[in-house]
Short mmCIF file of all heavy atoms in Angstrom, two decimals:
data_model
loop_
_atom_site.label_atom_id
_atom_site.label_comp_id
_atom_site.label_asym_id
_atom_site.label_seq_id
_atom_site.Cartn_x
_atom_site.Cartn_y
_atom_site.Cartn_z
N ILE C 234 7.24 -8.62 -14.57
CA ILE C 234 6.97 -7.75 -13.43
C ILE C 234 8.19 -7.73 -12.51
O ILE C 234 8.68 -8.78 -12.09
CB ILE C 234 5.72 -8.23 -12.65
CG1 ILE C 234 4.47 -8.12 -13.52
CG2 ILE C 234 5.54 -7.40 -11.37
CD1 ILE C 234 3.21 -8.65 -12.85
N VAL C 235 8.71 -6.54 -12.22
CA VAL C 235 9.85 -6.42 -11.32
C VAL C 235 9.44 -5.93 -9.94
O VAL C 235 10.16 -6.12 -8.97
CB VAL C 235 10.93 -5.49 -11.91
CG1 VAL C 235 11.50 -6.07 -13.19
CG2 VAL C 235 10.38 -4.10 -12.18
N LYS C 236 8.26 -5.30 -9.83
CA LYS C 236 7.80 -4.81 -8.53
C LYS C 236 6.29 -4.58 -8.59
O LYS C 236 5.76 -4.12 -9.61
CB LYS C 236 8.50 -3.49 -8.18
CG LYS C 236 8.32 -3.03 -6.77
CD LYS C 236 9.10 -3.86 -5.77
CE LYS C 236 8.98 -3.32 -4.36
NZ LYS C 236 9.70 -4.15 -3.37
N SER C 237 5.60 -4.90 -7.52
CA SER C 237 4.16 -4.66 -7.41
C SER C 237 3.86 -3.95 -6.09
O SER C 237 4.54 -4.20 -5.08
CB SER C 237 3.38 -5.99 -7.48
OG SER C 237 3.53 -6.60 -8.74
N TYR C 238 2.86 -3.09 -6.12
CA TYR C 238 2.47 -2.33 -4.94
C TYR C 238 0.95 -2.42 -4.77
O TYR C 238 0.20 -2.14 -5.71
CB TYR C 238 2.86 -0.86 -5.05
CG TYR C 238 4.33 -0.62 -5.32
CD1 TYR C 238 4.83 -0.62 -6.62
CD2 TYR C 238 5.21 -0.37 -4.27
CE1 TYR C 238 6.17 -0.38 -6.87
CE2 TYR C 238 6.56 -0.13 -4.51
CZ TYR C 238 7.03 -0.13 -5.81
OH TYR C 238 8.35 0.10 -6.07
N LYS C 239 0.51 -2.81 -3.60
CA LYS C 239 -0.92 -2.80 -3.27
C LYS C 239 -1.23 -1.47 -2.61
O LYS C 239 -0.62 -1.10 -1.60
CB LYS C 239 -1.24 -3.96 -2.31
CG LYS C 239 -2.71 -4.10 -1.99
CD LYS C 239 -3.48 -4.73 -3.13
CE LYS C 239 -4.93 -5.02 -2.72
NZ LYS C 239 -5.69 -5.63 -3.82
N LEU C 240 -2.17 -0.71 -3.18
CA LEU C 240 -2.44 0.63 -2.68
C LEU C 240 -3.37 0.59 -1.47
O LEU C 240 -4.25 -0.27 -1.37
CB LEU C 240 -3.05 1.49 -3.78
CG LEU C 240 -2.21 1.68 -5.05
CD1 LEU C 240 -2.87 2.70 -5.96
CD2 LEU C 240 -0.79 2.11 -4.71
N PRO C 241 -3.20 1.54 -0.56
CA PRO C 241 -4.09 1.61 0.60
C PRO C 241 -5.45 2.17 0.22
O PRO C 241 -5.60 2.78 -0.85
CB PRO C 241 -3.34 2.56 1.54
CG PRO C 241 -2.56 3.45 0.62
CD PRO C 241 -2.15 2.57 -0.53
N GLN C 242 -6.44 1.96 1.06
CA GLN C 242 -7.76 2.54 0.81
C GLN C 242 -7.68 4.05 0.93
O GLN C 242 -6.80 4.60 1.58
CB GLN C 242 -8.79 1.97 1.79
CG GLN C 242 -9.04 0.49 1.61
CD GLN C 242 -10.15 -0.01 2.50
OE1 GLN C 242 -10.81 0.77 3.18
NE2 GLN C 242 -10.36 -1.32 2.50
N GLY C 243 -8.61 4.72 0.30
CA GLY C 243 -8.63 6.18 0.29
C GLY C 243 -8.71 6.69 -1.12
O GLY C 243 -8.68 5.93 -2.09
N GLU C 244 -8.81 8.01 -1.26
CA GLU C 244 -8.97 8.61 -2.59
C GLU C 244 -7.65 9.00 -3.23
O GLU C 244 -7.59 9.18 -4.44
CB GLU C 244 -9.87 9.85 -2.50
CG GLU C 244 -11.33 9.51 -2.16
CD GLU C 244 -12.23 10.72 -2.26
OE1 GLU C 244 -11.71 11.84 -2.45
OE2 GLU C 244 -13.46 10.54 -2.17
N LYS C 245 -6.58 9.14 -2.45
CA LYS C 245 -5.30 9.48 -3.04
C LYS C 245 -4.16 8.95 -2.18
O LYS C 245 -4.32 8.72 -0.98
CB LYS C 245 -5.17 10.98 -3.24
CG LYS C 245 -5.34 11.83 -2.00
CD LYS C 245 -5.30 13.30 -2.37
CE LYS C 245 -5.58 14.19 -1.16
NZ LYS C 245 -5.55 15.62 -1.52
N THR C 246 -3.00 8.74 -2.84
CA THR C 246 -1.83 8.25 -2.14
C THR C 246 -0.59 8.63 -2.93
O THR C 246 -0.67 9.00 -4.11
CB THR C 246 -1.88 6.71 -1.95
OG1 THR C 246 -0.85 6.30 -1.07
CG2 THR C 246 -1.69 6.00 -3.29
N MET C 247 0.57 8.54 -2.28
CA MET C 247 1.85 8.77 -2.94
C MET C 247 2.68 7.50 -2.80
O MET C 247 2.81 6.95 -1.69
CB MET C 247 2.61 9.94 -2.31
CG MET C 247 3.93 10.26 -3.02
SD MET C 247 4.92 11.53 -2.19
CE MET C 247 5.55 10.58 -0.79
N LEU C 248 3.22 7.04 -3.91
CA LEU C 248 3.98 5.80 -3.94
C LEU C 248 5.44 6.11 -4.29
O LEU C 248 5.71 6.76 -5.29
CB LEU C 248 3.38 4.87 -5.00
CG LEU C 248 3.95 3.46 -5.14
CD1 LEU C 248 3.70 2.67 -3.87
CD2 LEU C 248 3.30 2.76 -6.33
N ASN C 249 6.38 5.68 -3.44
CA ASN C 249 7.80 5.87 -3.71
C ASN C 249 8.35 4.68 -4.49
O ASN C 249 8.17 3.53 -4.08
CB ASN C 249 8.58 6.01 -2.40
CG ASN C 249 8.29 7.32 -1.69
OD1 ASN C 249 8.21 8.37 -2.33
ND2 ASN C 249 8.13 7.27 -0.38
N VAL C 250 9.01 4.97 -5.59
CA VAL C 250 9.67 3.91 -6.39
C VAL C 250 11.15 4.25 -6.44
O VAL C 250 11.55 5.30 -6.95
CB VAL C 250 9.09 3.84 -7.81
CG1 VAL C 250 9.83 2.78 -8.63
CG2 VAL C 250 7.60 3.53 -7.77
N ARG C 251 11.97 3.36 -5.93
CA ARG C 251 13.41 3.57 -5.87
C ARG C 251 14.12 2.77 -6.96
O ARG C 251 13.63 1.72 -7.38
CB ARG C 251 13.96 3.19 -4.50
CG ARG C 251 13.46 4.10 -3.38
CD ARG C 251 13.96 3.63 -2.02
NE ARG C 251 13.66 4.60 -0.98
CZ ARG C 251 12.48 4.71 -0.38
NH1 ARG C 251 11.50 3.89 -0.70
NH2 ARG C 251 12.29 5.63 0.55
N LYS C 252 15.26 3.28 -7.36
CA LYS C 252 16.07 2.55 -8.34
C LYS C 252 16.42 1.16 -7.80
O LYS C 252 16.45 0.18 -8.56
CB LYS C 252 17.33 3.34 -8.66
CG LYS C 252 18.23 2.67 -9.70
CD LYS C 252 19.45 3.52 -9.98
CE LYS C 252 20.34 2.86 -11.03
NZ LYS C 252 21.53 3.67 -11.34
N SER C 253 16.66 1.08 -6.50
CA SER C 253 17.00 -0.21 -5.89
C SER C 253 15.84 -1.20 -5.99
O SER C 253 16.05 -2.42 -6.01
CB SER C 253 17.40 -0.02 -4.43
OG SER C 253 16.37 0.60 -3.70
N ASP C 254 14.59 -0.70 -6.07
CA ASP C 254 13.43 -1.58 -6.26
C ASP C 254 13.44 -2.21 -7.65
O ASP C 254 12.97 -3.34 -7.84
CB ASP C 254 12.12 -0.81 -6.06
CG ASP C 254 11.96 -0.25 -4.66
OD1 ASP C 254 12.51 -0.87 -3.72
OD2 ASP C 254 11.30 0.79 -4.50
N LEU C 255 13.96 -1.45 -8.64
CA LEU C 255 13.94 -1.91 -10.03
C LEU C 255 15.15 -2.78 -10.35
O LEU C 255 15.08 -3.64 -11.23
CB LEU C 255 13.90 -0.71 -10.97
CG LEU C 255 12.76 0.30 -10.72
CD1 LEU C 255 12.86 1.46 -11.69
CD2 LEU C 255 11.41 -0.38 -10.82
N GLY C 256 16.25 -2.54 -9.67
CA GLY C 256 17.42 -3.38 -9.86
C GLY C 256 18.49 -2.79 -10.75
O GLY C 256 19.65 -3.12 -10.62
N ALA C 257 18.10 -1.90 -11.68
CA ALA C 257 19.09 -1.33 -12.61
C ALA C 257 18.47 -0.15 -13.33
O ALA C 257 17.24 0.02 -13.35
CB ALA C 257 19.55 -2.38 -13.62
N ALA C 258 19.32 0.67 -13.93
CA ALA C 258 18.83 1.76 -14.78
C ALA C 258 18.18 1.18 -16.02
O ALA C 258 18.48 0.07 -16.45
CB ALA C 258 19.99 2.67 -15.17
N GLY C 259 17.24 1.93 -16.60
CA GLY C 259 16.58 1.46 -17.81
C GLY C 259 15.20 2.07 -17.98
O GLY C 259 14.79 2.97 -17.23
N VAL C 260 14.48 1.59 -18.99
CA VAL C 260 13.12 2.04 -19.26
C VAL C 260 12.15 0.99 -18.73
O VAL C 260 12.30 -0.20 -19.02
CB VAL C 260 12.88 2.24 -20.77
CG1 VAL C 260 11.48 2.74 -21.03
CG2 VAL C 260 13.90 3.21 -21.33
N TYR C 261 11.19 1.42 -17.95
CA TYR C 261 10.20 0.53 -17.37
C TYR C 261 8.81 1.07 -17.68
O TYR C 261 8.62 2.26 -17.95
CB TYR C 261 10.37 0.44 -15.85
CG TYR C 261 11.70 -0.16 -15.42
CD1 TYR C 261 12.84 0.64 -15.33
CD2 TYR C 261 11.81 -1.52 -15.13
CE1 TYR C 261 14.06 0.09 -14.96
CE2 TYR C 261 13.03 -2.06 -14.75
CZ TYR C 261 14.15 -1.25 -14.67
OH TYR C 261 15.34 -1.80 -14.30
N SER C 262 7.83 0.19 -17.67
CA SER C 262 6.44 0.61 -17.82
C SER C 262 5.68 0.24 -16.55
O SER C 262 6.09 -0.65 -15.81
CB SER C 262 5.78 -0.06 -19.04
OG SER C 262 5.82 -1.46 -18.92
N TYR C 263 4.60 0.96 -16.30
CA TYR C 263 3.77 0.62 -15.14
C TYR C 263 2.31 0.53 -15.56
O TYR C 263 1.88 1.16 -16.55
CB TYR C 263 3.93 1.66 -14.01
CG TYR C 263 3.35 3.02 -14.33
CD1 TYR C 263 2.00 3.31 -14.13
CD2 TYR C 263 4.16 4.03 -14.84
CE1 TYR C 263 1.48 4.55 -14.42
CE2 TYR C 263 3.65 5.28 -15.15
CZ TYR C 263 2.30 5.53 -14.93
OH TYR C 263 1.77 6.76 -15.23
N THR C 264 1.55 -0.27 -14.85
CA THR C 264 0.10 -0.33 -15.04
C THR C 264 -0.57 -0.16 -13.69
O THR C 264 -0.03 -0.56 -12.65
CB THR C 264 -0.35 -1.67 -15.66
OG1 THR C 264 0.01 -2.75 -14.77
CG2 THR C 264 0.28 -1.89 -17.02
N VAL C 265 -1.71 0.47 -13.73
CA VAL C 265 -2.56 0.60 -12.54
C VAL C 265 -3.82 -0.23 -12.80
O VAL C 265 -4.54 0.03 -13.77
CB VAL C 265 -2.93 2.08 -12.27
CG1 VAL C 265 -3.75 2.19 -10.99
CG2 VAL C 265 -1.68 2.94 -12.19
N GLN C 266 -4.06 -1.24 -11.98
CA GLN C 266 -5.14 -2.19 -12.24
C GLN C 266 -6.02 -2.35 -11.02
O GLN C 266 -5.56 -2.26 -9.88
CB GLN C 266 -4.58 -3.56 -12.64
CG GLN C 266 -3.68 -3.55 -13.86
CD GLN C 266 -3.16 -4.93 -14.20
OE1 GLN C 266 -3.72 -5.94 -13.79
NE2 GLN C 266 -2.05 -4.99 -14.95
N ARG C 267 -7.29 -2.60 -11.29
CA ARG C 267 -8.22 -2.99 -10.22
C ARG C 267 -8.85 -4.33 -10.61
O ARG C 267 -9.52 -4.43 -11.63
CB ARG C 267 -9.31 -1.94 -10.02
CG ARG C 267 -10.36 -2.38 -8.98
CD ARG C 267 -11.47 -1.37 -8.77
NE ARG C 267 -11.05 -0.31 -7.86
CZ ARG C 267 -11.02 0.97 -8.15
NH1 ARG C 267 -11.35 1.36 -9.37
NH2 ARG C 267 -10.65 1.87 -7.26
N GLU C 268 -8.53 -5.36 -9.85
CA GLU C 268 -9.04 -6.71 -10.08
C GLU C 268 -8.78 -7.16 -11.52
O GLU C 268 -9.63 -7.72 -12.18
CB GLU C 268 -10.52 -6.77 -9.75
CG GLU C 268 -10.82 -6.49 -8.28
CD GLU C 268 -12.31 -6.53 -7.96
OE1 GLU C 268 -13.12 -6.48 -8.92
OE2 GLU C 268 -12.65 -6.61 -6.78
N GLY C 269 -7.57 -6.88 -12.01
CA GLY C 269 -7.17 -7.33 -13.34
C GLY C 269 -7.56 -6.41 -14.47
O GLY C 269 -7.15 -6.63 -15.62
N ASN C 270 -8.36 -5.36 -14.20
CA ASN C 270 -8.77 -4.42 -15.24
C ASN C 270 -7.81 -3.24 -15.28
O ASN C 270 -7.50 -2.64 -14.24
CB ASN C 270 -10.19 -3.91 -14.97
CG ASN C 270 -11.22 -5.02 -15.09
OD1 ASN C 270 -11.18 -5.82 -16.02
ND2 ASN C 270 -12.14 -5.09 -14.13
N LEU C 271 -7.34 -2.91 -16.48
CA LEU C 271 -6.38 -1.82 -16.64
C LEU C 271 -7.08 -0.47 -16.48
O LEU C 271 -8.06 -0.17 -17.13
CB LEU C 271 -5.73 -1.90 -18.03
CG LEU C 271 -4.70 -0.83 -18.35
CD1 LEU C 271 -3.48 -0.99 -17.46
CD2 LEU C 271 -4.30 -0.90 -19.82
N LEU C 272 -6.52 0.36 -15.58
CA LEU C 272 -7.06 1.70 -15.36
C LEU C 272 -6.17 2.78 -15.98
O LEU C 272 -6.65 3.69 -16.62
CB LEU C 272 -7.21 1.97 -13.85
CG LEU C 272 -8.05 0.96 -13.06
CD1 LEU C 272 -8.07 1.34 -11.58
CD2 LEU C 272 -9.47 0.90 -13.61
#
């Protein structure tokens, strides 16, 4: 894991992910989870 984001309450949101957050160019994967369950 290189970065984690806790989402705010509500039905929708926009999340900014910057290259500086990842550290370098490359291929990354993301998961959206609720209490450990993959959504």
Side-chain angles (χ1 to χ4, degrees):
I234 296 176
V235 296
K236 192 73 176 178
S237 295
Y238 304 86
K239 184 76 173 180
L240 300 188
Q242 295 186 6
E244 292 188 352
K245 56 185 175 180
T246 190
M247 183 186 75
L248 185 64
N249 290 318
V250 178
R251 294 176 171 81
K252 181 179 180 179
S253 58
D254 297 331
L255 306 178
V260 182
Y261 297 84
S262 59
Y263 69 85
T264 61
V265 183
Q266 302 180 20
R267 176 181 278 122
E268 297 179 344
N270 294 316
L271 180 66
L272 304 178

